[in-house]
Amino acid sequence: QQLAPEWRLVVLDTTDLCTGSGWPEGSAQLAEARAFKAGHPGPLEDWNGGLGSAQMRWLREQLAAAEAAGDKVIVASHHPIGEGSARATHMAWNAPDIQAVLTSSRSVVLALAGHDHEGGYAVHGGVHFVTLQALLEAPPGGNSYGYLRVFQDHMEIRGVGTLTSRKLLLPSHLVSV
């Protein structure tokens, strides 16, 4: 989705690779999720998920197109995908693989996520990984929302209520002059 000239939004379905997504028995998606879960030690909770192989291919194609056009990319997902941007128990199952794809692209500047109600932040390879605080964690009668503003050299998340405001610098190779 083109947001504005030279900006794109890529939305990921991080419940694609998940045993708790409601995929029908016998479906290729459920088989892939079960195989992934069986092949990866550690607690992979059914309430988390990740990107299946088809969506990973699609993501690479979208980022290649953005790079060819010289566009900056904002990625949005439910589950956090940047190491350190949320508690390990709340990360997408294949977050390291997704993070590697995003940080290898010269176009990605920001990955927004939710799921971990406490929120968090990390930066890897010039990509900002922001997990937004949930409204559920706001005090009674409070709020937690915000908006994103983009500029030539930075982005600003303006938080309202319990959402943290942030100024996020763009990598120098993406700064418009």
Side-chain angles (χ1 to χ4, degrees):
Q1 176 73 34
Q2 185 95 25
L3 294 174
E6 300 181 358
W7 285 89
R8 292 185 189 205
L9 174 65
V10 174
V11 180
L12 303 176
D13 177 5
T14 53
T15 64
D16 179 37
L17 183 70
C18 181
T19 54
S21 290
W23 293 116
E25 196 61 49
S27 68
Q29 295 92 341
L30 184 57
E32 183 178 9
R34 285 179 175 160
F36 185 91
K37 195 170 180 181
H40 291 80
L44 295 180
E45 303 293 346
D46 287 338
W47 39 266
N48 285 343
L51 300 187
S53 56
Q55 193 175 176
M56 285 289 277
R57 280 191 302 278
W58 176 84
L59 174 59
R60 288 184 185 96
E61 291 167 4
Q62 296 301 307
L63 297 181
E67 286 181 36
D71 291 346
K72 298 172 216 41
V73 176
I74 297 169
V75 176
S77 64
H78 179 72
H79 297 90
I81 51 181
E83 180 184 6
S85 66
R87 293 173 288 175
T89 54
H90 288 64
M91 300 295 290
W93 285 359
N94 54 348
D97 300 328
I98 303 167
Q99 178 181 313
V101 169
L102 299 186
T103 58
S104 69
S105 170
R106 293 184 51 81
S107 290
V108 179
V109 295
L110 173 63
L112 292 170
H115 191 58
D116 189 348
H117 297 179
E118 296 177 5
Y121 171 79
V123 63
H124 300 283
V127 178
H128 300 276
F129 293 88
V130 178
T131 303
L132 303 170
Q133 291 93 346
L135 176 59
L136 291 171
E137 302 302 323
N143 266 313
S144 183
Y145 69 92
Y147 57 94
L148 176 69
R149 297 175 57 189
V150 295
F151 300 91
Q152 290 183 340
D153 63 344
H154 72 282
M155 300 166 289
E156 291 179 3
I157 296 174
R158 293 288 178 103
V160 177
T162 59
L163 187 75
T164 302
S165 294
R166 300 178 188 279
K167 181 177 180 180
L168 309 168
L169 298 178
L170 294 178
S172 59
H173 70 275
L174 290 175
V175 174
S176 302
V177 288

